[in-house]
Amino acid sequence: MKGPELRYSTAERHPACLSTTPLQVQQPKPYPLSPTVNNDRYPILSLINQCNSTKQLKQVHAQMLHTGLFFYSFTAGKLITASALSPFSSLDYARQVFDQIPQPNLFTWNTLILFLQLLHHCEHFPDKFTFPFVIKAASELKAFWVGNAFHGMAIKGSLSSDVYILNSLVHFYGSCGDLDLAYAVFVKTLQKDVVSWNSMITDFAQGGCPGEALELFRGMEKENVKPNDVTMVGVLSNCTKKLDLEFGRWVYMYMKCGSFEDAKRLFDKMQDKDIFSWTTMLDGCAKLGEYDEARHVFDAMPRKDIAALNALISAFEQNGKPKEALAVFRELQLSKDAKPDEFTLVCALSASAKLGAMDLGRWIDVYIKKHGIKLNCHHTTSLIDMYAKCGDLEKALEVYYSVERKDVFVWSATIAGLAMHGHGRATLDLFSKMLEAKVKPNAVTFTNVLCACSHTGLVNEGQRLFYQMEPVYGVVPGEKHYACMVDMLGRSGLLQEAVKFIEKMPILPTASIWGALLGACRLHGNIELAGQACSRLLELDPRNHGAYVLLLNIYARTGKWDRVSGLRKNMRDFGLKKEPGCNSIEVNGIVHEFLVGDNSHKLSKEIYSKLDEITAKLKSVGYVPNKSYLLQLVEEEDMKEQALNLHSEKLAIAYGLISMGPSQPIRVVKNLRVYGDCHPVAKLKSGLYDREIILRDLYGFHHFRGGNCS
DNA sequence: TTAGGGTTAG
């Protein structure tokens, strides 16, 4: 909200404002233009410089409004500087210019306006205490020309060796994105203090030059400047924010056991570290995968607030550890010190979605309603995602219909929900509605839509959309989209088209693209092409277990036993092991996990006797295990698993049958693909026990009801 | 007087 009475409130209270006739004071000459900013790129700047009357300036002003240049802070800033500091200056006009700038930061603008008034009305030249303030204001506004002019004025006022002013300028040029100028000022600072180093390090870190930041970080050590918490927090949080993990890990190692007096100890020794520093440290450790260290930091925190808890929960949640995330959430639920806030709820919902923990998800939904928390788009998206991933598409759609505000995240989550439940047409319809609502789709939206087309055989529609992505919607197709297209063509049997598509792609094929082709070959039994795709896939991803197994199968089937033994040797050499199949089921808000042949559950005995009962029942209705699945599996482990009827999903379903009420649907989440005879068996079970069974695997949902699969 | 800083979704 902006209003004139607010905007000028500070300025109008200034005694100088009582004067009606502006004083004419000698103005400093404009500082020469920075050599790194090209005047040709902004011809308007030359025009501004050439003006020698307010009338001319007004003409330029009008032109800037017309072309939109007025709405860039540095061109607008230049206009303000020109109108306020030029020989024909008029502060009233500068104010008018200021008045037209949309949503200015009131405080910083007021600082500048006050400064300009000071220049107009005060007979003393601003001193070394004035400049850091106004340069800071210019930094916040990223008003290059304004700050640049201050730089010139400071030089003119013989203040250019003051370390405070120089440090401010380093920060200023950095925040305007001019690292060269920032560095030039930094180098010229003769008596650098820790703030000088920190400013420049931060400029580099935020300006996308982590290498230079690190170099400087080392430079501090050489110069015997002791880094402080600002150094550490700045460097570490910048690299984790950008997920520049290599850099982050480097810094982390440096901190942990590095040569420079051990920065970790520095952190431990810091006297005045506040909760921000602690949380940054915690977040940094967690994001770098040092969970034990993160937990350690968390436990050592003298005071923990909700943000610290959130940092821990979200770090677990986003690094494939949803179970650990929910464990922390449970601690929070039990503790009286802190209450979950909107961040916590979003993280916990997301973790519930990943685990298929619908009881907890529903609890959060109720919590939100009970506490009258107004849904924002983050909540809405997470709720839709949670219900969809827990298998309750109706509930997900209910949330979607219940909210008015829908951003691209909300739309994309709903589209993804429809897609994962196999509703291709509905996905496309929703996508059209999204366009009608004038919400611009992004890369993720397209991945979801293309995925739906691929899974439901809507090849023409998918292709049409894919080729519209860039020209119509301005979304450049990425690896995932190309992989979707390969999957779409391959799945529908157009294997040669898929190969041609890969050859013509403007990007180099990645492992996931060969993986998509491989999947299609498996589906359509094209052994020759599968062999080629496998080889390419293994070149790029030599540790891909699935590709090895498939290639082994191909060689075994075609009798190429020498190759089989060669591959087996490779696998042993690489120490490759299959990712263990794991199924989870949530009962009364607790997620139980089962591995193959698992007997660690406390009700293991009951589960296995239930399994026997199920097997007997299945036999009695004439079920015969399909041995053909065995032929597809070369690995002994898989054979054993299959032969012993101990697939982990079977254990999970058996547990569901003994522990849940007869009307409750059994929801099982599998970390891999549902395969073998588990699908037909689950179908039979849903009929025999009159239970709804919902199986989620890596690729989507299988709903079983009354002996049928949707 | 100057530098920095924590947690959220598809």
Side-chain angles (χ1 to χ4, degrees):
Chain A
M1 264 248 278
K2 61 176 190 177
E5 65 287 348
L6 246 185
R7 180 175 304 161
Y8 291 120
S9 58
T10 318
E12 278 170 356
R13 261 184 262 121
H14 194 278
C17 295
L18 301 175
S19 160
T20 45
T21 48
L23 296 171
Q24 289 298 314
V25 289
Q26 179 87 39
Q27 295 301 324
K29 265 202 211 143
Y31 184 65
L33 295 180
S34 146
T36 55
V37 177
N38 189 347
N39 254 13
D40 299 340
R41 242 175 83 203
Y42 304 107
I44 201 78
L45 299 180
S46 304
L47 279 181
I48 294 175
N49 277 339
Q50 284 162 24
C51 290
N52 42 33
S53 69
T54 301
K55 193 180 165 197
Q56 284 177 355
L57 213 51
K58 281 184 177 171
Q59 285 169 355
V60 179
H61 183 178
Q63 195 183 335
M64 285 172 71
L65 280 170
H66 183 68
T67 56
L69 271 175
F70 182 78
F71 302 101
Y72 290 95
S73 63
F74 66 86
T75 35
K78 177 64 184 164
L79 189 66
I80 292 211
T81 334
S83 45
L85 302 182
S86 58
F88 50 89
S89 68
S90 139
L91 194 56
D92 287 343
Y93 181 56
R95 274 186 166 201
Q96 278 175 34
V97 175
F98 164 72
D99 195 29
Q100 285 178 346
I101 294 180
Q103 297 173 325
N105 178 326
L106 291 177
F107 185 82
T108 45
W109 276 115
N110 280 337
T111 308
L112 287 188
I113 292 289
L114 275 170
F115 179 70
L116 297 177
Q117 283 177 338
L118 177 116
L119 288 180
H120 276 257
H121 303 299
C122 181
E123 53 196 80
H124 300 292
F125 193 77
D127 66 6
K128 63 174 186 170
F129 294 100
T130 324
F131 280 103
F133 286 115
V134 290
I135 296 171
K136 184 178 181 165
S139 305
E140 281 169 23
L141 296 167
K142 299 196 189 341
F144 183 89
W145 294 107
V146 179
N148 198 232
F150 294 153
H151 188 178
M153 290 164 71
I155 291 173
K156 196 181 154 68
S158 307
L159 293 168
S160 61
S161 59
D162 180 82
V163 70
Y164 282 80
I165 296 181
L166 289 168
N167 290 347
S168 307
L169 283 168
V170 168
H171 170 62
F172 162 72
Y173 284 121
S175 52
C176 289
D178 198 328
L179 293 176
D180 290 341
L181 272 182
Y183 192 66
V185 176
F186 173 74
V187 169
K188 274 190 197 151
T189 309
L190 293 177
Q191 293 187 316
K192 297 182 186 68
D193 60 7
V194 64
V195 177
S196 320
W197 290 92
N198 287 348
S199 306
M200 197 62 231
I201 286 175
T202 310
D203 285 350
F204 277 136
Q206 293 183 338
C209 300
E212 283 80 355
L214 192 56
E215 199 60 39
L216 226 55
F217 196 40
R218 288 183 194 137
M220 277 178 95
E221 184 195 11
K222 282 193 198 127
E223 304 274 323
N224 284 324
V225 181
K226 229 182 154 191
N228 60 12
D229 54 344
V230 176
T231 326
M232 194 213 68
V233 167
V235 171
L236 192 64
S237 80
N238 270 315
C239 64
T240 53
K241 202 177 280 169
K242 287 187 192 127
L243 282 182
D244 187 343
L245 289 190
E246 204 181 326
F247 178 55
R249 193 166 288 285
W250 213 104
V251 175
Y252 182 77
M253 292 301 290
Y254 210 64
M255 283 167 37
K256 217 175 167 186
C257 49
S259 55
F260 99 142
E261 299 299 325
D262 197 339
K264 172 80 168 69
R265 239 183 304 145
L266 172 90
F267 176 78
D268 291 341
K269 267 196 243 158
M270 274 193 283
Q271 294 294 310
D272 54 348
K273 54 186 181 249
D274 55 14
I275 200 157
F276 286 84
S277 301
W278 278 101
T279 311
T280 308
M281 185 72 188
L282 158 68
D283 189 50
C285 293
K287 286 213 171 85
L288 301 173
E290 304 283 344
Y291 299 108
D292 292 343
E293 191 69 33
R295 185 73 220 199
H296 181 74
V297 171
F298 180 77
D299 291 337
M301 285 178 82
R303 190 172 70 81
K304 306 166 183 46
D305 65 0
I306 188 66
L309 272 153
N310 289 344
L312 195 62
I313 295 175
S314 92
F316 280 135
E317 194 276 310
Q318 292 187 356
N319 287 282
K321 297 194 173 296
K323 237 183 118 178
E324 286 79 354
L326 289 188
V328 180
F329 182 69
R330 251 174 242 295
E331 277 179 47
L332 169 63
Q333 280 177 298
L334 297 173
S335 92
K336 290 189 181 89
D337 303 333
K339 259 173 51 184
D341 67 2
E342 56 179 296
F343 287 78
T344 331
L345 298 176
V346 170
C347 290
L349 277 173
S350 190
S352 310
K354 284 187 179 133
L355 284 171
M358 185 139 107
D359 287 350
L360 180 60
R362 219 186 272 127
W363 183 88
I364 297 171
D365 191 5
V366 173
Y367 184 95
I368 290 173
K369 288 196 180 93
K370 215 169 102 184
H371 288 77
I373 297 169
K374 206 166 175 321
L375 283 187
N376 63 25
C377 284
H378 281 272
H379 293 129
T380 311
T381 305
S382 307
L383 276 173
I384 292 172
D385 183 50
M386 182 276 295
Y387 279 122
K389 286 199 178 132
C390 289
D392 198 335
L393 183 61
E394 287 75 24
K395 203 82 180 121
L397 291 173
E398 211 176 275
V399 176
Y400 160 85
Y401 284 116
S402 72
V403 294
E404 267 186 27
R405 222 181 96 65
K406 299 181 182 80
D407 67 0
V408 64
F409 281 80
V410 174
W411 284 99
S412 300
T414 316
I415 285 173
L418 287 169
M420 73 180 85
H421 285 270
H423 300 288
R425 283 281 163 209
T427 305
L428 288 176
D429 289 347
L430 196 67
F431 181 68
S432 306
K433 272 194 194 150
M434 171 176 171
L435 297 178
E436 281 166 27
K438 301 263 186 287
V439 177
K440 193 176 168 299
N442 64 18
V444 176
T445 325
F446 277 106
T447 308
N448 296 340
V449 176
L450 291 177
C451 194
C453 292
S454 159
H455 283 237
T456 52
L458 298 167
V459 181
N460 292 335
E461 289 82 348
Q463 278 183 310
R464 186 176 53 81
L465 277 170
F466 176 80
Y467 289 110
Q468 284 179 345
M469 277 177 69
E470 199 172 349
V472 180
Y473 303 102
V475 179
V476 181
E479 182 195 335
K480 282 191 179 160
H481 306 106
Y482 287 107
C484 269
M485 290 306 288
V486 172
D487 186 62
M488 184 188 300
L489 294 168
R491 222 180 252 267
S492 64
L494 302 166
L495 289 171
Q496 288 314 314
E497 278 82 347
V499 173
K500 274 187 209 146
F501 182 85
I502 294 177
E503 284 166 356
K504 277 201 212 152
M505 287 183 331
I507 61 165
L508 283 174
T510 57
S512 63
I513 287 169
W514 291 120
L517 186 65
L518 183 58
C521 292
R522 173 162 53 185
L523 192 65
H524 295 284
N526 187 327
I527 289 177
E528 198 186 322
L529 192 55
Q532 292 170 25
C534 259
S535 313
R536 303 299 300 272
L537 176 52
L538 288 174
E539 280 168 25
L540 295 169
D541 182 11
R543 303 188 62 87
N544 190 310
H545 178 273
Y548 270 109
V549 173
L550 210 83
L551 206 54
L552 275 176
N553 276 293
I554 292 167
Y555 290 152
R557 274 205 217 172
T558 46
K560 293 174 178 159
W561 298 107
D562 52 330
R563 295 200 187 179
V564 169
S565 52
L567 265 189
R568 277 197 177 282
K569 187 177 175 306
N570 276 356
M571 290 176 78
R572 273 196 303 275
D573 291 349
F574 274 124
L576 284 187
K577 276 222 162 136
K578 184 181 164 228
E579 187 184 348
C582 175
N583 281 268
S584 57
I585 179 169
E586 187 195 41
V587 175
N588 297 327
I590 310 280
V591 176
H592 302 257
E593 285 181 333
F594 293 92
L595 298 169
V596 176
D598 201 333
N599 54 12
S600 61
H601 197 278
K602 63 174 192 240
L603 292 182
S604 198
K605 225 172 146 189
E606 287 85 347
I607 294 171
Y608 279 94
S609 65
K610 188 73 182 178
L611 210 56
D612 290 341
E613 178 205 305
I614 297 171
T615 312
K617 269 203 181 183
L618 286 170
K619 258 192 196 151
S620 73
V621 294
Y623 168 74
V624 183
N626 187 343
K627 292 262 193 302
S628 72
Y629 290 115
L630 290 175
L631 298 177
Q632 292 178 10
L633 302 161
V634 175
E635 279 192 303
E636 286 153 19
E637 205 182 306
D638 286 331
M639 304 248 291
K640 188 177 106 197
E641 178 181 339
Q642 193 74 36
L644 295 177
N645 189 25
L646 296 180
H647 264 154
S648 44
E649 46 263 62
K650 291 178 184 166
L651 292 174
I653 293 174
Y655 179 59
L657 283 172
I658 59 175
S659 58
M660 296 169 76
S663 60
Q664 285 179 290
I666 293 176
R667 300 170 197 276
V668 172
V669 177
K670 171 153 189 152
N671 64 341
L672 305 169
R673 181 197 285 273
V674 169
Y675 67 174
D677 68 344
C678 281
H679 193 272
V681 167
K683 223 158 82 170
L684 283 172
K685 284 178 196 165
S686 74
L688 283 172
Y689 289 90
D690 192 24
R691 276 298 181 105
E692 191 179 351
I693 298 175
I694 299 159
L695 258 178
R696 174 179 124 195
D697 69 3
L698 270 184
Y699 301 92
F701 281 92
H702 309 264
H703 289 252
F704 304 97
R705 192 179 288 167
N708 291 304
C709 175
S710 64

